[in-house]
Amino acid sequence: MKTIFITGGSRGLGLSLVKHFLELGNRVFATSRTLTPELESLIDDNCEFHSLDMSNPESFESAVVTCINKFGSIDLLINNASGMTGGQLIGSYSIQEIQEEYSVTMIAPTILTNIVVNKIINMSDEASLDIIFISSSSGLIGDSTCGEYPLYAASKAALIRLSDSINSSSLRGSVNSYVIIPHNIRENDYINEQAASYKDVGRTISYLIDSGDNIFIPRVEIQPKFK
Ligand SMILES: NC(=O)c1ccc[n+]([C@@H]2O[C@H](COP(=O)([O-])OP(=O)(O)OC[C@H]3O[C@@H](n4cnc5c(N)ncnc54)[C@H](OP(=O)(O)O)[C@@H]3O)[C@@H](O)[C@H]2O)c1
């Protein structure tokens, strides 16, 4: 039984991942700004909700400590929440819009990861941690859709590089970082919208973190299968 700390667990992919990891018998500490009825219905001894606004990093440490006090440790951090503000061309943003997008989509996962690594790795010599960053195809070089979402694309590209950098550091072995790079993903209607399903993402994450000692797959791009 693992403990999973996930951001953006109230709906969308995050909610689906909460369900996925609970169904596999894990403990889940789900965070978001709002407690939706769907997430509320999952709360029990193995699933805790913690209200967390990713634009307020001052509150991150207390959330991490609350999770560790409740469940003993954190085995997997899933950086899922993002603050996509919508498409706009560069040249049309206010300072506040730029700061908001970067603060939730890029800076918040960086600060949260910094805190979780610090707390977990200092627990004991044998401590280990898996980290998932949910990036996006917008963050890939050559992606043709990123032009309308320059701040989101820049933030998601930064997460890919952050994950690579963690794996290139002396933390490797104790901390394993994975980046998931989805194209279009949906709960359902993924045939009409040419999207992969949220469940595909959950299954992929489980495969990555449980794939054994001799194989390490640090990044996965998930595309819908075109028919
Ligand atoms: N859907 C796609 O096609 C697609 C494609 C590529 C990548 N992605 C990535 O996949 C991840 C999940 O996407 P999604 O489609 O599931 O998004 P979504 O349905 O919009 O859900 C976003 C989640 O993030 C939380 N969140 C947003 N702003 C927050 C804030 N300031 N503080 C705390 N939580 C916040 C939301 O909860 P509250 O509003 O309750 O706080 C919600 O739980 C994101 O990182 C996204 O960039 C999605």
Side-chain angles (χ1 to χ4, degrees):
M1 181 184 263
K2 291 182 176 176
T3 297
I4 291 117
F5 186 119
I6 178 163
T7 65
S10 62
R11 58 189 153 88
L13 174 63
L15 178 66
S16 176
L17 293 176
V18 171
K19 290 180 191 162
H20 172 80
F21 283 104
L22 287 174
E23 281 165 16
L24 291 175
N26 297 291
R27 294 175 287 244
V28 176
F29 191 85
T31 70
S32 60
R33 290 167 299 183
T34 50
L35 177 57
T36 55
E38 293 83 3
L39 180 56
E40 190 170 19
S41 70
L42 300 173
I43 293 174
D44 64 9
D45 287 350
N46 288 329
C47 182
E48 174 129 334
F49 168 73
H50 188 94
S51 176
L52 191 66
D53 185 343
M54 298 307 284
S55 63
N56 178 20
E58 302 302 324
S59 60
F60 292 3
E61 177 146 357
S62 128
V64 172
V65 169
T66 304
C67 178
I68 294 171
N69 287 344
K70 164 94 182 163
F71 291 136
S73 187
I74 296 171
D75 301 292
L76 171 63
L77 166 65
I78 303 182
N79 287 296
N80 166 70
S82 99
M84 224 262 249
T85 48
Q88 264 175 251
L89 295 179
I90 198 77
S92 59
Y93 290 94
S94 67
I95 294 172
Q96 194 188 358
E97 284 169 332
I98 294 171
Q99 287 173 334
E100 276 178 17
E101 177 78 64
Y102 282 170
S103 93
V104 175
T105 307
M106 177 172 22
I107 297 174
T110 309
I111 294 174
L112 182 61
T113 299
N114 186 56
I115 292 170
V116 173
V117 169
N118 177 277
K119 297 275 180 221
I120 298 304
I121 293 310
N122 290 325
M123 273 184 165
S124 76
D125 289 346
E126 293 84 41
S128 66
L129 173 71
D130 288 324
I131 303 168
I132 298 281
F133 291 96
I134 305 292
S135 179
S136 163
S137 55
S138 304
L140 293 175
I141 292 171
D143 179 76
S144 59
T145 63
C146 68
E148 306 298 318
Y149 304 91
L151 310 183
Y152 177 76
S155 302
K156 292 300 194 181
L159 296 185
I160 296 172
R161 198 67 186 123
L162 177 59
S163 184
D164 287 347
S165 301
I166 292 168
N167 291 328
S168 301
S169 76
S170 57
L171 288 167
R172 174 131 189 216
S174 309
V175 179
N176 292 311
S177 186
Y178 306 85
V179 63
I180 306 287
I181 308 173
H183 289 238
N184 214 16
I185 45 171
R186 292 286 176 270
E187 163 107 48
N188 45 41
D189 201 21
Y190 37 84
I191 295 172
N192 289 336
E193 294 196 49
Q194 291 290 4
S197 71
Y198 293 153
K199 285 187 175 167
D200 291 325
V201 181
R203 281 193 285 264
T204 302
I205 292 174
S206 284
Y207 180 77
L208 296 180
I209 62 173
D210 295 330
S211 56
D213 291 338
N214 285 326
I215 183 167
F216 176 57
I217 305 169
R219 62 165 87 172
V220 171
E221 198 182 332
I222 298 181
Q223 299 186 14
K225 193 184 271 180
F226 280 76
K227 292 178 178 153

